[in-house]
Amino acid sequence: MKNTLKKSLFIGVAALGLVAAVGTANATQASAKSYAKVTSNKTLGGDATSRNVNFTGKSALYTKAGTLRGARVKASKAVLGSFANSKSSQHNVRAYRVATTNRGSVYYKVVSFDGAYRGWIYGGKSSDAFGGGVAQYNTTTDPAANPDANGSVSSSATINTQGQTNALSATQKAATYKIANPGTSNDGTEVTYTYPAWTQYKKGRVITDSTPYKDATFKVVDQTVRTREGDLWVKIQATDSANSKANGWILYSGLAQATPATPVDNFNADTSVKIAYRDVTTGKTLDKTNVWTTASTGTKQGNAVNALVNSAGYSLTQYLVNAGAPSGYAFKTTDGQAAASDAKNLTISPVISGAKFGDTLTVDVTPTAAQTKVQYYYQDTEGGAITALPATAFASGYPALTAAQQAAALPDNKTAGSFNMNDYFQDWTLTNKDGGGRFIYNLILAPNAYTAPAGELTFPNTNTHNNGPVTGFFGQDLNNGTQRYFYSFDGKATLNNNAPTQQKGATVKVVMQRYITSKALPTQTTDANANTDYVAK
């Protein structure tokens, strides 16, 4: 009886063991079948800046696609989620490979800008747009508008560069700067960078020691804010080309206003009359003045000026009218017409007919229309959607133009009113350089304009080549530096994407045709007299 029971128990246990073994084998097979397989794994192309991403915290980072056999977690969702709102740009992330599994899942291989985190992360079900554990991210943003960005310039103002996060004022943009503390520190304040620090992957310093440039002076030609830190960075350009090797991006707080030259006061009360200007919209007197000085001898303070003239043969009245109003202003006339040659329609205090040597005459002026500016866009196909172009999309930032070129390219701001787009933004030909093609005619005078011969450029969507020379500007590299984007003005697309009539002071959408080229980037040049003030930022 006991032996029978033992045998029965033994057989039962053995049978259970067999079932368990079979079950385990089946479970192993089922688990093996549950692993995904990679059906595609390739390098991401396109503009590198379009592949900057941010962690969302919705997926962990793996050694390989998370559903593959052997995938291990490198960083948890919680850790990556904490980076999403990081205040350090070192936590910016670049995606550089994309893999698709047989289940239709997309995984991106990514690396943090500081190199601390590298691996694969789930990116959704489509490679057309980032999703899942990553989202597209702009590492820099335009600074908040400054209400005085287009105001009058005060050359005597004291500029404080510390703590500012909004855009520069007109006075700050016009100022000249030095690097406040020349040295070797890599903290954004002592040396210059190809881009604001940590905003583009593996893009570092222009110079590693600014000590040789301790006496160099610079103008600001561009500005942006790092998205994470919210700090203001500016692109500086040496006023002397001998110091151009230091040109680059630096924290605005790393600059100090260059000591302005002591103005020469050529006002002599015995021989001169000073002319000041009052802004009728604010009631304030501008810091800009002019001085008329007689060519006669023997005059004394308090003597009547009458019809005496200066060395150029101008009477006081003629000089005042011909000198005009300060930049950004026009005379406020009593009849709405241009200033009369005898100044009878100007408001001047005291009256000019009774002027005496040593007097200061104050003339009423009014601000002129805001300067018309442009914002760059690109399209890949004719009639296609347009996409904004940041300064970082160009190899050397937005094309720089001299003040004279900007004045010729865009409507004047002497008076308010409207203008026709056809008068400025048509494609350029030899017959209309002073007519409808004014903008492009002056744009291609920028220092870094390049004319690509026939066949050197490729249209991205058709793989066809340009059949004639095309003048434009190099963009950022792609495909691991083997190619570059190239942007050329498209007058037809520009006119199609703007209203035919614009108010002066408007921002015009300038559309560029985007190409791809294998030509190596030529040496980029600068012009100390050129800037990007004409671009809306």
Side-chain angles (χ1 to χ4, degrees), residues 9 131 144 173 203 220 255 289 325 331 341 370 383 421 457 471 490:
L9 289 170
K173 288 192 292 184
K203 300 293 185 181
V220 171
L255 300 179
T289 60
F331 287 128
S341 59
M421 286 286 294
L457 306 176
T471 300
D490 189 327

Side-chain angles (χ1 to χ4, degrees), residues 73 181 221 244 300 460 493 495:
V73 173
N181 297 296
V221 296
S244 61
K300 296 293 183 182
L495 294 174

